[in-house]
Amino acid sequence: MSKVIIVTGASRGIGFETAQQLADRGHRVFAVARSAGPLGKLQGLFPEQINAVPADLTDEHSVGRLVEAISSEVDGVNILINNAGVLINKPFEELSLDEWRAQLDSNLISAVNITKQLLPHFNTKGHILNISSMGGFQGSTKFPGLSAYSVSKGALSILTESLAAEFKDRQLAVNALCLGAVHTEMFEAAFPGFEAPVSPEEMGSYIADFSLSGSTFYNGKILPVALEDPE
């Protein structure tokens, strides 16, 4: 059965590939990101299945317009994949407060904002999937330069556990995947010269699969998905 799925951070990398994978399987995908150009390219690949909806997920009014646009097109939403995020690789003493806020806004507040406003529109037995990082997985190897990123992703993981408890009576599952190194543009910019062991296409396929079936077996779980951490 075709599902209605929202993928944030869909203009490139993992989000771009995840949206393609889901559309290719016949699902209705609303692809969300700030950049309208890349979203238009994505929609062009699957014009019958993908709707490009540019939005700033850190802004309440922008997300309000996004939710209104989606709810006018469909009766309800089955899956939300909170994939939007940013990574700044910089030593702690050099990170400005604005750079801390930028990562917290993109990696945490964006998920809070869209989840809260979309809540009345979820269908029964919906699934919220937060894309976290091994940097935000308790006990994992931590790396210099990723303090703010890891903290923001760790907060996203705790949000996952908290919302699973909050939404228990709504039959709405919430899980998080803590990804290891994936060779995206964002990864290349943060770790120049390092070759990640997993491609965006491979991870996009895995996330698409989990978003569709993971809520059958998991709720409130923080699951590591990694071969190794960058060194």
Side-chain angles (χ1 to χ4, degrees), residues 33-52:
R34 285 192 178 99
S35 304
L39 286 183
K41 176 184 175 183
L42 176 60
Q43 180 172 308
L45 298 173
F46 295 90
E48 299 299 319
Q49 302 299 132
I50 294 180
N51 287 71

Side-chain angles (χ1 to χ4, degrees), residues 10-33:
S11 62
R12 62 176 184 165
I14 294 169
F16 191 92
E17 298 299 334
T18 301
Q20 286 194 79
Q21 291 277 349
L22 291 166
D24 192 46
R25 301 175 199 191
H27 299 288
R28 180 80 179 274
V29 178
F30 288 89
V32 182

Side-chain angles (χ1 to χ4, degrees), residues 95-196:
L95 272 172
S96 68
L97 288 182
D98 283 343
E99 288 170 327
W100 270 90
R101 292 186 182 103
Q103 292 185 88
L104 286 166
D105 277 348
S106 293
N107 300 338
L108 174 65
I109 300 304
S110 66
V112 171
N113 193 7
I114 190 171
T115 299
K116 182 178 180 182
Q117 296 200 48
L118 197 64
L119 196 55
H121 303 282
F122 276 102
N123 291 327
T124 303
K125 296 184 178 179
H127 189 196
I128 298 170
L129 179 57
N130 295 323
I131 305 304
S132 187
S133 165
M134 284 302 294
F137 188 79
Q138 187 173 7
S140 67
T141 302
K142 302 298 186 290
F143 295 90
L146 299 184
S147 295
Y149 178 75
S150 296
V151 166
S152 64
K153 287 296 191 178
L156 183 62
S157 296
I158 298 302
L159 175 69
T160 299
E161 295 176 327
S162 299
L163 293 187
E166 293 258 7
F167 301 159
K168 184 177 180 180
D169 295 337
R170 295 176 178 263
Q171 298 186 61
L172 180 57
V174 190
N175 292 296
L177 297 179
C178 292
L179 308 188
V182 180
H183 204 80
T184 62
E185 294 175 25
M186 186 173 75
F187 182 87
E188 287 180 351
F191 300 97
F194 183 86
E195 185 73 25

Side-chain angles (χ1 to χ4, degrees), residues 181-184 196-200 202-203 227:
V182 180
H183 204 80
T184 62
V198 178
S199 71
E202 291 170 321
M203 189 57 77
L227 295 172

